[in-house]
Amino acid sequence: MHDPLQIREQFYLDPSITFLNFGSFGACPKPVMNRFHELHLEMEQEPVQFMTKKSIGYFAQARKVLSGYVGCSMDDIVPVTNPSWAVNAVARSLNLQPGDEIRTTSIEYGACDKAWQYYCRLTGAHYVQIEPQWPVTDSAQFVADFFTNISPRTKLIFMSHITSSTAIRLPVEQIIREAQRRGIPTFIDGAHAPGQIDLNLDEMGVDYYTGACHKWMMTPKGCSFLYAHPRVQKQIDPLIISWGYDAAFPSHSQFLDYHQVQGTRDLAPFFCLDASLQFMEENNWKEVASQCRSLVLESAPKFIELLGVQSHVAIHPDFLAQMFSIPVCAPKAEELQQELFDRYQIEIPVMRLGDKQFIRFSINGFNSNHDLDTLYQALRELKQKAEFL
C-alpha cells in the first residue's frame, strides 16, 4: 500500500485544504514543476535557439514518450493546449452541411457542447444529444440505446471516455466497434482518461481522440494532445494558421506541421511529459491508481446512503475509475460548493447537468479515507441542518 502522506509531500497542495477536486485541473508534483522551471530558464537564456531549434527535438521526445504511454505512433499525435482546442480543430474541419448530424450524449462536458452547437448552428447541422437510461448499469443497453434511430446523415459520433459532471466511464470501445460497422467516424473526448485508466489508441480503432495531460498525468497546465488516425489526418485544418501551413521547410508530416507549429506559446508544459512519466514510474503509479479506484468503489455506497439518493451509475469498475459523482438535490449548487470550501476547507465541485446536480469527488495518491471522512461529516452536518441539501 502506498503512503498518501508521503505522496502529498511531493505536491505543493495547501495542507489545510481537503483537496477532492483533482479532476478539474489536476495538480503538478514538485519534481515536474522543477523541470518546468528549468525549461523556462533555458528558454530565457537563449529564446531564439530554444523556440526555433531546440523545440523541434523537445517536441519529438514529448510525442515519443506520450505516444508510448497512450499506445499509438508518435506521428499520429500532436500537442494542443487543452481538449477544447482539439474539439474546435476537428469540428471546423468536418465540412458539415445542412441536415448532417453529430451524435453524442446528454452528459458531455459543457465547453465541448458549446463548440459543437456553434459549428452546427453555423452550418445548419444538428447536434443530437442522446439521454441515457438512468441509472447507467449495462454497457450493452447503453450502446443499443445510443444507436437507436440513428440517422444516415450522422457525420460523426462524439463521446466522453470518462464524463465530467457524472464521472461515468462510458463503453467507448463498444461504441467505436459499432460505429465502424456502420461506417461512422468517432471522436472520443478523453480529457479525464490519460493517467486515470490505461489507453491503447491503436487497438481502440478511434478516428480522433483528445486527452488532457495536465489532469491525471500531472503535467503543468496547458498540456494536452490530439490523436488522429492516419486515414483522417489530412482532413483536419489547423485551428491557427501559422508557419506550419504551406511550410517553407515541411517535415515528413503535414499533420505535425499544421498543428504543432502554432506561433509563440508556452512550450514548457509539453516538454515536461518525460518528468511526469518518470514521477509516475518512481512512485509506482499504476498501483497507486489501482488503490485509488478501490477507495472510490468502497466509499461511494456510504455517500449514496447518507444522502438517501439512488446512484446514477452502477458502482462497478466497468463504470468508475478515480472519481464518483453523488446525485444531490441542491438548488443552490454554487452556494453549496462555496460553503464546503469556506466552512469546511473542502475543495470539491458541485456541478449542474440539466436539471440535475452532482457533488464529484476525485481520488488521487495523496488522498485517504480521512479526506472522505471529512467530506462525509460535512455533508451529514449540512443535511441535519437542512442547509443546502
Side-chain angles (χ1 to χ4, degrees), residues 276-287:
S276 172
L277 291 170
Q278 182 179 347
F279 174 83
M280 287 192 279
E281 182 178 354
E282 290 175 351
N283 288 275
N284 193 19
W285 215 251
K286 281 188 176 291
E287 181 60 29

Side-chain angles (χ1 to χ4, degrees), residues 86-102:
V87 170
N88 276 269
V90 173
R92 72 191 296 267
S93 302
L94 288 180
N95 191 29
L96 293 173
Q97 301 296 314
D100 285 346
E101 294 188 0
I102 303 297

